[in-house]
Structure formats: C-alpha cells, structure tokens
Amino acid sequence: MATEVKVPTLGESVTEATVGEWLKNPGDAVAVDEPIASLETDKVAVDVPSPVAGVMGEHKVAVGDTVEVGAVIATVEAGGAPAAKGEEAGRATEEREEGKQERAEPASGDSSVTMSPAVRRAVLEHGVDPTTIKGTGKDGRLTKEDVVAAAKAKSSGSGDTIASAAPEQAATPSAPAASQGERREERVKMTRMRQTIAKRLKGAQDNAALLTTFNDVDMSAVIEARNKYKDLFAKKHDIRLGFMGFFAKASCLALKDVPAVNAYIEGDEIVYHDYVDISVAVSAPNGLVVPVIRDAQDKGFARIEKDIADFGKRAKEGTLTMEDMKGGTFTISNGGVFGSLMSTPIINPPQSAVLGLHRIEDRPVVVDGEIVIRPMMYIALSYDHRLIDGREAVTALKIIKEAIEDPTRMLIDL
C-alpha cells in the first residue's frame, strides 16, 4: 500500500518551497521520520520526513520544482523492500547498506540528485572528487564548506586529513577536464533562498535612505579580558568566550540610549521596542541567514555565546527553523571572519540599522602623544536616514566603541 508524502507546514506566511534535493531514490529503504527530500524556502532548508517505514516509491516532482504546502511530492510503499533479480538486486541492496556515506557520490555522472546546487557549484569550481570527501552536514551530507576545505587540503598536500581514502582506479572526476584555451559557462537556477535574499536587499536599497558611519575600535581591553578569563569561562559555561558576546552587549547599551536605532518605520508610524532582538548574520551552505538572539538585553555573555554557537552549527547542518529567524530589531554582521577590512553592510528590512564588524589587525595609533601599536578594528553602522539622524547614528556607534574599549561600562550600564 502506497502512502502519500506531502509538503509539510513551512511556517507562518510561507505557502510554497522549491525541491532542493532528493535524499532517497525509488527503491531505497526508508525508516519512519527519516528525511527523504530537502525543500528550500525563502529562509531555510526544510527536510521532509517519511510518514511510514517502507520503500521509497515514485518521485512526483523533480529537483527545482516549486511545490505548495500540502502538495503530494512522493509515495512510500509500506513494508519491506521488493525482491529484485540477479545483479540488480545485489547492487540495490549494496547501495541501501552504504546509505548516507555514499549520498555525496554522483549518480551516472549527474550529481543533482545527491548534492545541493551550492555544493555542485563548489565541486565544479574547485575540481575536487566528491566521492573522496567526508560530509559533515546532517546525515553525512556534503556541504559547501566540506568541498572548500578539501580543495584547500588538496592544494597544500594534506588532503588525506579530511578526505576518506579511495582506490585510485575508482575515482572519477566531477567534470571532464577542459582542454587548454577552452572557455565554459554553467547556468544554475537561483535557489529560492538566493532569490529572496536578492529581492530583500534590493528592496532595502530602493525603499530606505541608506547611509553608513564608521569608527575604529582598540580591541586591547577585550582581548586582554578574553585571554584572562577564557579558560575559567569555558570550564564554567562549557562554551568559548568570543568577541560577538561583547559586541552584542555593547549594542544593547547603544540601543537603549538611542532607541531610534532599534526601531523601524511601518506606514506613517515609527515602531519602537523596549527589548533588543539581535539578528546575527550566519553563513550557511545556501546563503546568508540571520537567526535571532531574543531579549539580548537580559542575557549574559554565556547565554549569548551559546545561542551564537548553536545558530552556527545548525546553519551548517541546514536545521535552522523559520521561528529562529522570525523578527529581529537590529543586526550584527561579522565580515571579519572572512578577512574584510572595511565594508558598508546593508540593513535587514524592516530593521533600520546594522552593525558591521571587521578583521582585527595591528596598526599604529597615537595614545597620550605617543605612537603605539594596538589591535584595531574598523566598525560600521549602516542606517536608514529616514528614521535615524546622523547625530544619533554617530552617537550609537561611539557608545559601542567606548564599551568595547572599556568593558567595565557594560557592567555598570554607562
């Protein structure tokens, strides 16, 4: 008896999604609640679980198709796997036993069934063999970061530290090598998440009066505090003490004193908040996502660091939910982890401001009339000038700078 697999409820106001990849092929054994497909919504990737245990039946839709909530996308045949004949039976059984470890291997030269578009692009760009890479995503799936790491290890001659060993004769290139002088193009349909990101960011430029103010921060005090307390902090709270906790708490001070930076425009009204929900920009395999640290003004450093670490882990696994990214009154984006020296971050609508962090580097600065070398970071605040005046934006950024340079301010609310 065949059981229909339907698109589950995807979240408030979300009515459709795009089929990102099939995790099970017809004939594969599936367990109850085991993911059989991954759907891409405007914000997150959502796994579709099997409602029953049995054998994967027919795929009703293809990768890239748009499906609505409640639509039938596949069937699952209840019971055990059907008997097969001869060599085909042996191959089918072997493939089911290999299961998740082989999910990254291209089928008949086409990896669209087993790898997401982002991973496929990374494989082609870096020229690596996906069958030799151990996936770190959910259920052992390959992520873009896995491919990039494998490419780096390959170029440095240490590929065996992250790639599983494979017989040389069994390795097949992900794409035929281009002859000298050959130029190629590849057209890949934008994921639903990338389309939404594009629309939202363009909308921010079209609808807001964007402006950015800059400052620089001496990170000496924060670095000293981390070095002094990082071991005790990790032992007590079981989490690493990072920089984001400091900037989140410093932002709370600034938003309390300059409430317009924590507000947004709705129609002809300004909506102010007596709480701070900080959206933290996190890199995920399918694009940038912004999960929310709720009530950051009431949370300590340990809780904030744990929230951020959890978001980063689940973003990589693709398990963030709609609820994780709902709301947010202010955003922090850390381009410094990618080496950025300075940037003009763009606001996350309907929010009115975003704080951009950048890399720390030793620079000569003048302190008490003397030139000294200090670990400095440029920080940027992009804001909607319709709501936030230049004086307010500069004041908010200055408060953040002062709190980072003298962390005691965060303890005594200055």
Side-chain angles (χ1 to χ4, degrees):
M1 178 180 176
T3 300
E4 293 182 336
V5 181
K6 299 181 179 180
V7 177
T9 300
L10 301 171
E12 184 179 354
S13 76
V14 180
T15 60
E16 61 182 20
T18 301
V19 181
E21 61 178 320
W22 284 104
L23 307 179
K24 292 290 185 178
N25 295 321
D28 288 349
V30 295
V32 62
D33 291 332
E34 182 178 8
I36 63 171
S38 178
L39 304 180
E40 295 176 351
T41 69
D42 291 350
K43 295 182 178 180
V44 294
V46 178
D47 282 343
V48 180
S50 173
V52 295
V55 177
M56 189 68 200
E58 179 186 1
H59 291 173
K60 299 288 188 179
V61 292
V63 171
D65 286 355
T66 297
V67 292
E68 296 183 350
V69 172
V72 177
I73 60 172
T75 60
V76 175
E77 301 288 342
K85 297 181 181 180
E87 296 180 358
E88 291 182 0
R91 285 197 299 269
T93 302
E94 182 180 357
E95 288 172 359
R96 287 195 294 271
E97 290 175 350
E98 288 172 352
K100 298 171 185 176
Q101 284 79 8
E102 296 299 321
R103 187 166 286 155
E105 181 176 350
S108 302
D110 179 8
S111 61
S112 63
V113 176
T114 53
M115 293 186 291
S116 69
V119 175
R120 290 202 304 275
R121 286 195 297 272
V123 167
L124 291 173
E125 288 172 4
H126 296 284
V128 296
D129 180 2
T131 64
T132 65
I133 305 172
K134 183 178 180 181
T136 61
K138 186 175 181 181
D139 295 332
R141 271 180 275 165
L142 221 60
T143 68
K144 182 179 179 182
E145 287 77 9
D146 295 333
V147 175
V148 173
K152 289 181 179 179
K154 180 180 178 182
S155 63
S156 63
S158 58
D160 56 352
T161 60
I162 62 171
S164 59
E168 184 176 350
Q169 64 270 22
T172 57
S174 58
S179 61
Q180 187 174 4
E182 181 182 350
R183 289 155 39 112
R184 295 186 299 177
E185 292 182 349
E186 180 192 11
R187 291 183 180 268
V188 179
K189 185 177 179 180
M190 293 173 67
T191 64
R192 178 171 292 274
M193 184 184 296
R194 176 53 60 185
Q195 292 179 48
T196 300
I197 290 173
K199 290 177 183 177
R200 286 175 62 84
L201 295 184
K202 184 57 181 173
Q205 288 184 322
D206 292 342
N207 300 322
L210 293 179
L211 195 62
T212 304
T213 183
F214 298 91
N215 215 318
D216 59 356
V217 178
D218 184 346
M219 297 292 292
S220 299
V222 167
I223 292 174
E224 181 181 353
R226 288 184 70 223
N227 290 338
K228 184 176 181 180
Y229 296 112
K230 63 181 181 181
D231 293 337
L232 287 174
F233 188 88
K235 183 177 180 180
K236 179 175 181 178
H237 300 292
D238 194 28
I239 190 67
R240 172 179 170 271
L241 178 60
F243 291 120
M244 285 293 287
F246 287 94
F247 279 100
K249 297 302 292 183
S251 296
C252 290
L253 285 181
L255 302 183
K256 178 181 178 182
D257 286 357
V258 191
V261 182
N262 195 41
Y264 64 85
I265 294 175
E266 188 175 84
D268 59 356
E269 297 179 329
I270 299 174
V271 181
Y272 292 94
H273 306 91
D274 66 352
Y275 55 87
V276 179
D277 284 354
I278 298 180
S279 302
V280 181
V282 177
S283 180
N286 291 331
L288 199 68
V289 293
V290 279
V292 179
I293 302 172
R294 306 194 188 282
D295 293 316
Q297 79 283 351
D298 296 330
K299 291 182 176 179
F301 282 80
R303 184 66 265 167
I304 290 175
E305 293 292 352
K306 287 180 178 179
D307 286 351
I308 293 172
D310 178 59
F311 289 151
K313 177 176 179 292
R314 290 195 287 136
K316 186 175 182 181
E317 295 174 347
T319 57
L320 286 172
T321 67
M322 292 289 186
E323 191 63 29
D324 292 325
M325 286 174 283
K326 182 180 178 181
T329 62
F330 181 75
T331 294
I332 299 179
S333 178
N334 186 8
V337 296
F338 304 110
S340 173
L341 176 65
M342 187 180 292
S343 68
T344 56
I346 190 167
I347 64 173
N348 178 25
Q351 298 172 21
S352 298
V354 53
L355 175 67
L357 309 182
H358 303 91
R359 77 170 185 252
I360 302 170
E361 63 177 10
D362 289 340
R363 291 201 300 268
V365 295
V366 178
V367 178
D368 297 330
E370 295 184 355
I371 297 177
V372 296
I373 303 299
R374 293 290 174 85
M376 304 296 294
M377 176 196 287
Y378 289 116
I379 57 176
L381 185 74
S382 290
Y383 58 98
D384 188 347
H385 209 352
R386 298 177 303 163
L387 171 60
I388 304 169
D389 294 332
R391 175 185 61 83
E392 293 173 311
V394 172
T395 299
L397 196 62
K398 186 170 179 286
I399 292 172
I400 293 172
K401 168 185 169 70
E402 292 173 344
I404 295 298
E405 292 184 338
D406 183 8
T408 305
R409 287 173 173 266
M410 288 182 260
L411 298 177
I412 58 178
D413 194 14
L414 278 181

